[in-house]
Amino acid sequence: MPWQAEEAPDPRLLAFNEPLAAELGLDAAALRTPEGLRLLVGTAVPDGARPVAQAYSGHQFGGYSPRLGDGRALLLGELVDDAGTVRDLHLKGSGRTPFARGGDGLAAVGPMLREYVVSEAMHALGIPTTRALAVVATGRAVRRETVLPGAVLARVASSHLRVGSFQYARATDDVDLLRRLADVAIARHHPAAADAANPYLALFEAVLAVQASLVARWMLVGFVHGVMNTDNMTISGETIDYGPCAFMEAYDPDTSFSSIDEGGRYRYGYQPLAAEWNLARLAEALLPLIDEDPDRAVALAVESLKTFRPRYDAALADGMRAKLGLPAGADDAVVADLVTDLLALLQAGHVDWTSFFRRLADAARGDAEPVRLLVLDLAGLDGWLERWRALSPDGAAMDRVNPVYIPRNHLVEEALDAATGGDLALLDELLDVLGSPFEERPDHERYAEPAPRDFGAAFRTFCGT
Ligand code: AMP
Ligand code: MG
C-alpha cells in the first residue's frame, strides 16, 4: 500500500555504512547532508519513487496471524547495485502504517543500532543477511517502559519476500496473485527454478536449500535468532529481523535469550526444527501452484520437505569439519564421533563456543595450553585432542573459519547504552572490530572474551522494541 514516513523533527546520523553505500551507487557525502538525512528517514522521497508498506501474514510462535504488517516499515524502493543485483531499500521505525495495529510505528535508537551491529557482524562472518545502511536518530521521543530517543534504520535486502508474504497471498484465495508472487520470487531469487519441470515445487526446494544452509551457518557461529516466526524467514535465504537475537557463549543447545520466548521454541538447538516447521507452512501456501490435484500437491511437497533434514545435516557436518580444520579425506563417521564427543565435553564444561574453536587452532599448531585453560575435564579434553590430532588438523584453515570476534551481548549492550546517551566512540570501535572478525588484533583482548559471570546468566533480549 502506498504510504509515507512520519516527520523526524531533528535527524542526526548515528551510524552510516560507507562501503554499502558505495556498493549501491549512492553518494555518501550527499546522504550525510540534511537533505540526505531526510531521504534516510523517508521524509524526502526521490523523484519517481513510491514508498509502500507491505502486508504479510505469519505464524508467530506457532499461532497464525492473518495480517501482521509491516506496521512500522516502508519499502522506499529498489536499487541496482554494482553487481547488477536488485536490492530493496527499506526503512524501519518510520511511523505507523495501515498495518500498525496498536503499535506506534516507531523504533528506539538502541534496538535499531543493535540491528545495525549484529547484521553487519553477520555479513562480515560471511552469513547471508539483510544489511544496514544507516541509523538516523529522529529527535522524537518513543514511549516504551521509559521514554527513549527514536531512530530509523535504513535496511537493504535482496528483497523483503518472506514465507509470510506467501501465506498472505495464499489467504486471498486468488491463485493468480499467488502465482505472480511466486514468479517474482523465482525471477529475483531462484531463477533456475523457472526451467524445472515443476517450477513452483522447484521454488520450494530452492528456498528449502538456502534455508538449510543458512540455519547451519547460524549454528556454526552460535547465533540464536530468537524469533523465527514465518514472517521473519526470507525467500532469498538472508537472515532477517534482528529483534531479540543474540550469540550463545557457553555451549548449550537450550540457550535462549528472548524474554517473550517462554517455552524456548526458538532456542539454539531447536532452530533447524523451527526452520523445517516454517518451510512446511511455505509448502502449504504453495500447494495450489504445485499441483492442481490437492492430494498430489501434498504428496510432492511432503517428499520435498523430507530433504530439509539431510541437507541441513550435511551443511552442518561440512561446517563442523571446517571448524575442526579437518581435511575432506577424513572419514565421515570418525569426524561425526569426534563432533558428538566434543559437544558433550563443551556442554558439560560450559565452555565458550567461540573461544574454544579459535584456541583449538593453537592446539593444531602444537600448543594445547590455550584451549586447556578453557576446560575443567582435562583428562577428557586430552583424550579428545589426541584423537583429533591423529586426523592432521590444519590450524591456518581453522583461523579462516573460526572468528575471534562475535557481537558479544555485554559488548553490544555497553556500546548501545553509550550511543543512546550520545557517545558513539564504543559503537564505532565495536563495528570496526566486528568488521574483520577473523583477524586477531593486539590490544583488543576484551572484545574476544565472554561476558563477566554476573552478566551472562541473566541476559535477556526484547522483541520489536
Ligand atoms: P516482528 O515480530 O518484529 O517481526 O514484528 C511483527 C510485526 O509487528 C511487523 O509487521 C512489525 O512491523 C510490527 N511491529 C513491531 N513493532 C511495531 C511498532 N512499534 N509499531 C507498529 N508495528 C510494529
Ligand atoms: Mg519481523
Side-chain angles (χ1 to χ4, degrees), residues 54 56 60 68-73 92 95-97 99-107 144 162 227 229 231-232 241 243-244 260 463-465:
Q54 287 175 306
Y56 49 80
Q60 298 181 297
L68 277 183
D70 263 318
R72 57 164 171 177
K92 192 162 161 179
R96 301 192 74 220
T97 77
F99 311 115
R101 298 173 292 169
D104 59 9
L106 303 176
R144 293 292 178 260
R162 311 146 186 266
V227 61
N229 296 332
D231 55 302
N232 291 334
D241 205 319
I260 59 166
C463 192
T465 46

Side-chain angles (χ1 to χ4, degrees), residues 27 46 83 103 120 123 192 195 204 254 282 302 342 369 371 403 417 461:
D27 180 344
E120 285 306 302
H123 173 73
D195 303 323
F204 176 61
D254 284 338
L282 175 62
V302 166
L342 177 62
E369 281 320 303
V371 75
D417 285 348
T461 57

